């Protein structure tokens, strides 16, 4: 049976230890800050990016990996006869999956491309489940099925502290952004079915805290398997949320990360994201 190797784009919220343990190949996205291009995980870190974004003259521009990067990785990974499972972030926020699909047609390696319909730590949950299954001798088909199960039992909630980047990136109109700033409007977004949905909008941080409390109450009724918090310099909100989560689920480690530049560019400073998946 051919060996199976996993590749994914750099938006996956994997730790360095996880990448090393399962020998996962990362295909990086890039971000341009004031005419200089930085490559995720190579020439810029998640921790460096927020300050650079803050100091930039204009909103950074993000780019998916070139098709050639995927082809190169697939050729290398398949040189020993292995097949490749390539996992990408959801198509609604990036064309990365399409680049991977085109590359899969151009390589001699047998490649299966999966749009995980999520990103960040939610993407990592699926990749890790697939990696464990493959390590135990499972096939690509079994790994893809396992990923779908994890995806269908995962939640991603994202609190947006200010709308500046969403306005600058053309995601919402300037008029709506100005109005929201004046009214101190905060958003809670939820990702499901591969799309971003507004779960709540309210005035001030108390509205966000009230929504987090509702979300945590729903979690209490579930058999939670894994939890992650990703953020963009939202240390105070992260500390509050993590303390509550550890009180509710003392046996589950909470993986806290500064999110990747590609995501931080769109969410803006102060964004805080809770990601988890359950048995049921």
């Amino acid at each position: 049976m051919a060996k199976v190797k996993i590749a994914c784009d750099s938006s996956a919220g994997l730790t360095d230890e996880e990448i090393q343990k399962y020998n996962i190949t990362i295909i990086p996205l890039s971000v341009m800050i004031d005419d200089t291009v930085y490559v995720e995980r190579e020439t810029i870190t998640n921790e460096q990016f927020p300050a650079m974004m803050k100091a930039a003259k204009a909103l950074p521009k993000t780019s998916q990996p070139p098709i050639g990067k995927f082809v190169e990785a697939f050729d290398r990974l398949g040189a020993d006869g292995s097949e490749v499972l390539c996992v990408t972030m959801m198509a609604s926020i990036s064309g990365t999956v399409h680049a991977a699909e085109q590359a899969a047609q151009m390589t001699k390696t047998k490649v299966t491309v999966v749009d995980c319909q999520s990103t960040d730590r939610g993407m990592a949950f699926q990749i890790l489940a697939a990696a464990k299954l493959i390590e135990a001798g499972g096939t690509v088909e079994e790994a893809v099925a396992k990923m779908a199960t994890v995806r269908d039992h995962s939640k991603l909630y994202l609190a947006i502290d200010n709308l500046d980047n969403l306005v600058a990136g053309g995601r919402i109109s300037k008029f709506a952004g100005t109005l929201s700033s004046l009214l101190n409007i905060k958003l809670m977004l939820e990702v499901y079915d591969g799309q971003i949905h507004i779960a709540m909008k309210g005035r001030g941080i108390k509205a966000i805290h009230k929504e987090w409390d509702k979300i945590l109450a729903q979690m209490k009724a579930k058999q939670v398997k894994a939890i992650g918090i990703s953020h963009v310099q939202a240390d105070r909100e992260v500390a509050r949320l993590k303390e509550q989560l550890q009180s509710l689920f003392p046996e589950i480690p909470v993986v806290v990360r500064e999110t990747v530049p590609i995501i931080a560019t769109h969410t803006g400073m102060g964004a805080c994201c809770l990601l988890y998946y359950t048995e049921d």
Side-chain angles (χ1 to χ4, degrees):
M1 189 169 70
K3 189 178 176 187
V4 180
K5 297 175 182 175
I6 296 177
C8 65
D9 68 63
S10 57
S11 76
L14 294 159
T15 65
D16 291 340
E17 293 74 22
E18 289 163 348
I19 291 166
Q20 200 171 351
K21 182 177 180 182
Y22 295 107
N23 197 23
I24 295 164
T25 296
I26 305 293
I27 299 162
L29 290 97
S30 58
V31 60
M32 187 166 74
I33 306 170
D34 294 339
D35 299 324
T36 301
V37 175
Y38 299 89
V39 181
E40 290 190 348
R41 287 186 168 270
E42 292 180 12
T43 58
I44 192 167
T45 67
N46 298 357
E47 289 72 26
Q48 289 170 330
F49 179 72
M52 293 171 74
M53 175 172 70
K54 220 173 181 176
K57 294 171 191 163
L59 183 72
K61 294 188 172 82
T62 58
S63 299
Q64 66 203 43
I67 294 170
K69 280 264 189 191
F70 280 109
V71 174
E72 187 184 295
F74 296 161
D75 285 348
R76 186 179 72 251
L77 293 173
D80 61 358
S82 297
E83 60 177 300
V84 173
L85 171 60
C86 178
V87 185
T88 74
M89 73 172 100
M90 56 194 195
S92 63
I93 60 170
S94 171
T96 301
V97 64
H98 306 306
E101 286 168 344
Q102 288 177 65
Q105 301 297 317
M106 298 164 71
T107 180
K108 290 177 183 173
T109 302
K110 184 180 179 187
V111 180
T112 302
V113 178
V114 177
D115 173 352
C116 76
Q117 296 184 27
S118 185
T119 190
D120 203 279
R121 194 66 187 167
M123 185 172 170
F125 294 152
Q126 295 182 44
I127 292 168
L128 292 171
K132 287 169 189 170
L133 193 144
I134 287 166
E135 190 178 58
T139 64
V140 168
E141 291 73 24
E142 289 167 334
V144 171
K146 179 66 176 176
M147 285 174 59
T149 301
V150 172
R151 178 198 69 213
D152 292 344
H153 291 83
S154 295
K155 293 285 189 181
L156 188 164
Y157 294 101
L158 170 62
I160 300 290
D161 187 57
N162 72 73
L163 306 184
D164 294 351
N165 285 33
L166 290 175
V167 172
R171 303 276 166 156
I172 56 175
S173 76
K174 197 163 282 191
F175 173 74
T178 306
L179 194 62
S180 297
S181 299
L182 290 171
L183 296 173
N184 194 21
I185 295 292
K186 312 290 184 187
L187 293 181
M188 181 70 79
L189 307 178
E190 182 181 359
V191 169
Y192 56 87
D193 296 335
Q195 300 289 330
I196 300 170
H197 306 265
I198 296 176
M200 185 281 306
K201 52 185 172 183
R203 290 179 67 176
I205 199 65
K206 284 185 180 176
I208 289 290
H209 289 172
K210 194 173 174 185
E211 192 66 16
W212 280 135
D213 291 344
K214 259 170 61 181
I215 290 164
L216 294 176
Q218 290 165 2
M219 283 179 77
K220 262 166 63 176
K222 302 279 187 181
Q223 285 184 286
V224 176
K225 294 272 288 175
I227 303 170
I229 299 175
S230 293
H231 67 106
V232 187
Q233 287 192 351
D235 296 339
R236 187 184 294 179
E237 286 302 294
V238 168
R240 179 186 183 275
L241 191 54
K242 186 180 179 185
E243 185 181 354
Q244 290 177 296
L245 287 164
Q246 288 180 324
S247 171
L248 288 172
F249 308 101
E251 73 291 353
I252 301 175
V254 179
V255 177
V256 177
R257 304 172 64 256
E258 278 277 346
T259 195
V260 294
I262 207 88
I263 295 173
T265 295
H266 299 296
T267 63
M269 303 297 291
C272 181
C273 183
L274 170 64
L275 312 97
Y276 69 92
Y277 85 93
T278 64
E279 283 269 12
D280 48 0

